[in-house]
Amino acid sequence: MKTRGKKTLLPPTPPQTIGPYFRIGLTAPRPLSRIAGPDTRGERLKLVCTVLDGRNAPVDDAMIEIWQANAEGKYNHPDDRQKKALDPDFIGHGRMGTNSEGICIFETVKPGRVPGPGPGNTLQAPHLEVSVFARGVLKRLATRIYFAGDPANNEDSVLALVPKARRATLLAQPIEGEPGAWRFDLHLNGKKETVFFDV
Amino acid sequence: MVSSSSRGKASVRRTHRGEGHPARDGEESGRILSPYHRHDPKNEPGNIYPPYKSSLARGPRKPLIVLPHTLSEITGPVFGHGEIGEMDNDLTRQHAGEPLGERITVSGKVLDDNGRTVSNTLIEIWQCNAAGRYAHMVDQHPAPLDPSFSGAGRTLTDAQGNYHFTTIKPGPYPWKNHPNAWRPAHIHFSLFGTAFATRLITQMYFPGDPLFPFDPIFNSVRDPKARERMISKFDLALTRPDWSLGFRFDIVLRGREETPFENKR
Ligand SMILES: [Fe+2]
């Protein structure tokens, strides 16, 4: 039991690694690579995510989950009270296991800007919430995908919390010669380690 | 596949709105409903636990950056009844024949750390068969597959946060972490809870397993009290006569810092 303020809180159930066999329960029966359907509004994106370990070897047994707002910056969730429209063809949730090259690909739309932390009317830059699970990963790793070159990145209050030298690890990069396609490399550790958040 | 209206939080929202705190509603302003409690590091494994070998190249080593909870973290996917099949929580009835092994019932309640029930939330489980073999290509250890057992189940908690699975008791299995390494019997659990912040993947163990002291995954949670919270309890009251042994596994997810529903009453 732990007390925060005057309240006694129940101690939470600890996390454990997802292990190597999650496909039988999670991504094999229900892969979810298409986050946006044919009628979803917004700028189409193909997001190519690669998971790499500290030796730069592809991680072929990782699971990536995406959570994102729709093109207007509205989450499909009852706690989003913004007066913005939901998109009937959009939930915002994706989940895939990586292939033998450590890659999984999501089809989606670019999320709109959502309110930032703190007072005032600051907006966050377009971003996707990302959870990474894998054998050898002891608990959910949380990160965000932003879009390189988006002018809103400069005023994003979460990016501002990240040391400048590491910000680039959170930026998806456009893939040359393939309009609408972006790549995002996730380095679990090593020199190029991706920024992970304590959520 | 996911419905936006099936989470049973309508009463919380109504009360909140009815009390008239528009600024806290996040409408027209950047303010959001209260954030979730932060992680307690004592409750969790670190990102690297050297006895668990594969964590060395896969766990991040740089310090995590504390992310204030914004709208992005206090929302998350909501799942509806539409995608749960009637037999999805009975792993013994997914094939024509019955799986071999000790039939068990696993039941429990999902609560948040404020003690409030988490209703209509998705629970997914996966496990090996009674012989310790997963129905998965990567698992090649020489134990028999069971053609009557796939080892995956899912359900939604009911209005009181309760869930039930019927399955067979998974066997312990060897793995390559160190010489003569065996995992204690366990069922993998995945829960979304109410928000991105509450996402949890864990493993449920069985009471009194002799392999506990030797398992680096179980022991990656360093606090013995926290480890106990991953062990189910044998429960005679859940045991169905002439049918299945009962194990109780209650799950606690993080809750909100402020609970408007309670505070305003
Ligand atoms: Fe396992």
Side-chain angles (χ1 to χ4, degrees):
Chain A
M1 292 276 169
K2 179 150 182 153
T3 320
R4 295 190 216 195
K6 283 186 194 111
K7 256 180 107 180
T8 306
L9 300 179
L10 298 175
T13 308
Q16 293 269 270
T17 180
I18 195 170
Y21 304 122
F22 61 84
R23 279 181 172 82
I24 65 173
L26 304 181
T27 54
R30 274 164 289 274
L32 202 50
S33 67
R34 199 150 103 174
I35 301 173
D39 299 325
T40 307
R41 296 188 294 263
E43 179 191 334
R44 319 296 298 188
L45 300 180
K46 178 178 147 188
L47 204 56
V48 181
C49 302
T50 308
V51 184
L52 301 153
D53 71 11
R55 301 176 199 104
N56 241 11
V59 175
D60 63 3
D61 53 3
M63 182 175 89
I64 295 188
E65 286 181 347
I66 302 284
W67 172 243
Q68 66 164 104
N70 69 18
E72 274 194 74
K74 168 92 175 167
Y75 285 103
N76 193 338
H77 186 281
D79 290 344
D80 185 337
R81 313 287 173 75
Q82 298 177 94
K83 289 175 179 151
K84 293 176 180 173
L86 284 171
D87 186 327
D89 195 38
F90 189 76
I91 302 294
H93 170 57
R95 176 159 84 175
M96 287 294 287
T98 50
N99 66 14
S100 57
E101 294 163 317
I103 293 173
C104 61
I105 299 175
F106 295 98
E107 289 169 56
T108 186
V109 291
K110 188 169 179 181
R113 300 181 70 177
V114 302
N121 292 313
T122 60
L123 289 172
Q124 303 188 55
H127 67 275
L128 300 93
E129 299 279 293
V130 181
S131 295
V132 188
F133 303 90
R135 172 179 65 84
V137 171
L138 283 152
K139 53 186 172 179
R140 184 263 298 264
L141 299 177
T143 187
R144 284 179 165 202
I145 299 177
Y146 288 84
F147 297 89
D150 193 311
N153 290 343
N154 300 324
E155 55 187 57
D156 184 88
S157 53
V158 171
L159 277 177
L161 298 171
V162 178
K164 264 198 175 133
R166 299 190 66 205
R167 276 180 211 164
T169 69
L170 298 175
L171 302 179
Q173 300 290 341
I175 297 174
E176 242 180 88
E178 202 184 338
W182 296 73
R183 66 173 296 149
F184 185 71
D185 291 350
L186 258 151
H187 295 268
L188 296 180
N189 82 21
K191 273 204 188 94
K192 292 190 264 182
E193 187 178 305
T194 299
V195 166
F196 296 103
F197 292 104
D198 175 348
V199 176
Chain B
M1 61 164 277
V2 181
S3 89
S4 62
S5 58
S6 58
R7 212 166 41 107
K9 291 208 56 164
S11 58
V12 177
R13 297 174 66 197
R14 213 161 33 239
T15 304
H16 197 68
R17 283 222 163 117
E19 297 294 332
H21 297 280
R24 297 197 62 85
D25 263 354
E27 289 177 18
E28 312 303 328
S29 85
R31 301 188 66 180
I32 57 165
L33 289 166
S34 86
Y36 284 80
H37 291 126
R38 304 304 305 190
H39 284 285
D40 180 352
K42 259 195 94 177
N43 189 59
E44 303 195 336
N47 281 312
I48 308 245
Y49 182 59
Y52 179 28
K53 299 271 164 50
S54 52
S55 73
L56 292 169
R58 292 183 164 197
R61 291 169 188 272
K62 299 203 160 79
L64 304 188
I65 290 172
V66 176
L67 182 60
H69 291 174
T70 73
L71 195 56
S72 305
E73 289 76 31
I74 67 152
T75 57
V78 176
F79 299 85
H81 286 275
E83 58 186 312
I84 307 283
E86 232 172 85
M87 283 292 136
D88 281 4
N89 70 342
D90 189 341
L91 287 71
T92 67
R93 296 189 180 205
Q94 296 172 346
H95 298 271
E98 282 207 73
L100 289 172
E102 197 179 319
R103 198 184 291 113
I104 60 172
T105 300
V106 178
S107 296
K109 200 187 245 310
V110 182
L111 297 165
D112 72 16
D113 62 16
N114 295 305
R116 181 174 300 126
T117 59
V118 182
S119 54
N120 298 312
T121 199
L122 179 66
I123 306 182
E124 295 163 292
I125 64 168
W126 67 101
Q127 63 168 92
C128 59
N129 67 25
R133 177 95 183 256
Y134 282 90
H136 187 293
M137 288 219 327
V138 168
D139 187 357
Q140 295 293 338
H141 100 269
L145 282 167
D146 184 339
S148 299
F149 193 71
S150 304
R154 49 205 263 122
T155 191
L156 291 179
T157 55
D158 66 15
Q160 284 76 46
N162 295 311
Y163 72 89
H164 308 278
F165 286 103
T166 301
T167 183
I168 49 104
K169 195 172 179 194
Y173 59 85
W175 60 313
K176 304 267 187 260
N177 188 71
H178 56 273
N180 204 12
W182 292 78
R183 295 295 331 277
H186 61 273
I187 299 178
H188 296 266
F189 270 70
S190 163
L191 290 93
F192 283 87
T194 45
F196 182 80
T198 60
R199 184 82 175 96
L200 176 71
I201 288 185
T202 189
Q203 300 181 24
M204 182 205 96
Y205 298 91
F206 291 87
D209 197 311
L211 292 167
F212 285 152
F214 312 106
D215 181 40
I217 292 180
F218 179 69
N219 290 292
S220 67
V221 177
R222 302 304 295 139
D223 178 6
K225 283 217 172 95
R227 285 201 293 272
E228 264 170 47
R229 298 198 288 275
M230 303 188 291
I231 306 174
S232 59
K233 294 186 174 63
F234 173 70
D235 188 344
L236 194 63
L238 284 174
T239 294
R240 289 181 288 173
D242 304 322
W243 191 252
S244 63
L245 289 180
F247 290 88
R248 185 166 185 87
F249 184 52
D250 294 329
I251 299 166
V252 178
L253 303 175
R254 284 192 289 163
R256 288 182 185 280
E257 275 178 19
E258 278 173 40
T259 50
F261 186 78
E262 269 177 10
N263 293 347
K264 304 297 176 195
R265 288 230 153 165

